[in-house]
Amino acid sequence: MLAYRHAFHAGNHADVLKHLVLTQVLRYMTQKDKPLTLIDTHAGAGGYGLDSNHARKHAEYDDGIGRLWGRNDLPAGLADYVSLVKSFNPDPARLMRYPGSPTLAKMLLRADDRMRLYELHSTDFPLLQETMAERRETAVMNRDGFGALKADLPPPSRRAVVLIDPSYEIKTDYGKVVAAIQDALKRFPTGVYLVWYPIIARPEAHDLPRRLRTLAQQAGRSWLNATLHVGAAAD
């Protein structure tokens, strides 16, 4: 897991879907005056330079945020998300940097909303600390987010959004996700839980949404499965 660097994939089509959903959820949750807690179990570096060697290796952002960058005909939700990405760039006309989930949350949350961010990677952790250094009500920890989640639930305000986005490079991550959600629903059944997963030819990946849906149904919670399938561009 610790060999994984999200910088290789920053701003790709999967990030677009994940961050579009995260943006919409946080916009909705912050409509109520009562504070909330955001818990990100695998927070990454917080932001990524798209001119770095990691990002340029495959330039996956070209077919992700790059396809949306210059458009003026986007639906409201996508336009909102793209405007946040532009605000993260020193020159809004040039796509040079991409915000990670913690940075997008930092833009959207209010001063009294809490953030609990976990990252194990020895390089990404100090970068995340630097990104979040000036924000109050924020804890950045070099710990396993799966194991730490138990202590964070239920949150003081009894309102929380939990984002679980491991690398899935290790097959056991799938089982850890299910176990984490199962335990979280027992500790805090009214939380909002966002789980990202890859659509790949692996039995564990194929089975994960079914297992999560079953947990939601058993807890009497609503369930949304948003997927994005990418093919060759049309003429």
Side-chain angles (χ1 to χ4, degrees):
M1 180 186 71
L2 296 183
Y4 176 84
R5 298 298 302 280
H6 187 69
F8 286 113
H9 314 290
N12 68 2
H13 63 278
D15 263 1
V16 169
L17 176 62
K18 176 175 64 177
H19 291 146
L20 169 64
V21 172
L22 177 64
T23 296
Q24 294 295 290
V25 167
L26 292 180
R27 288 287 193 201
Y28 177 80
M29 293 292 287
T30 52
Q31 289 178 15
K32 182 179 284 190
D33 290 338
K34 191 174 182 181
L36 66 88
T37 297
L38 172 77
I39 304 166
D40 192 337
T41 61
H42 298 76
Y48 307 91
L50 298 182
D51 57 348
S52 69
N53 291 334
H54 287 118
R56 286 301 310 167
K57 184 173 183 179
H58 300 294
E60 293 185 16
Y61 58 85
D62 282 342
D63 285 326
I65 185 63
R67 287 188 175 271
L68 307 177
W69 191 250
R71 299 285 292 267
N72 58 10
D73 59 346
L74 298 175
L78 269 176
D80 180 29
Y81 150 72
V82 173
S83 72
L84 293 173
V85 179
K86 287 186 175 181
S87 72
F88 187 62
N89 282 265
D91 179 358
R94 298 183 63 205
L95 176 59
M96 299 296 294
R97 302 170 65 201
Y98 188 80
S101 301
T103 299
L104 287 169
K106 180 181 176 182
M107 296 176 186
L108 294 168
L109 294 179
R110 303 152 303 186
D112 57 347
D113 291 326
R114 298 168 72 245
M115 295 180 71
R116 308 279 293 178
L117 308 175
Y118 297 95
E119 177 53 48
L120 273 176
H121 199 284
S122 59
T123 302
D124 286 348
F125 173 67
L127 295 175
L128 182 62
Q129 281 185 308
E130 182 179 352
T131 300
M132 297 293 153
E134 298 178 1
R135 190 186 188 279
R136 295 173 56 248
E137 301 294 337
T138 301
V140 180
M141 289 155 286
N142 189 210
R143 293 179 58 193
D144 172 35
F146 284 129
L149 184 58
K150 294 181 179 181
D152 288 329
L153 298 175
S157 66
R158 296 301 193 270
R159 301 184 72 231
V161 175
V162 178
L163 174 62
I164 301 178
D165 177 19
S167 68
Y168 294 103
E169 284 196 319
I170 304 173
K171 289 195 298 183
T172 54
D173 277 352
Y174 295 92
K176 288 181 179 179
V177 167
V178 174
I181 292 295
Q182 186 174 32
D183 183 74
L185 286 171
K186 292 177 181 177
R187 293 174 182 272
F188 187 54
T190 58
V192 176
Y193 300 96
L194 308 179
V195 176
W196 181 92
Y197 68 95
I199 300 176
I200 57 176
R202 175 180 273 185
E204 295 86 358
H206 180 78
D207 199 39
L208 182 61
R210 181 193 61 78
R211 298 177 71 184
L212 294 174
R213 181 176 63 247
T214 298
L215 290 178
Q217 291 172 341
Q218 290 173 346
R221 298 299 312 280
S222 58
W223 150 267
L224 171 67
N225 188 25
T227 60
L228 176 63
H229 297 263
V230 178
D235 293 337

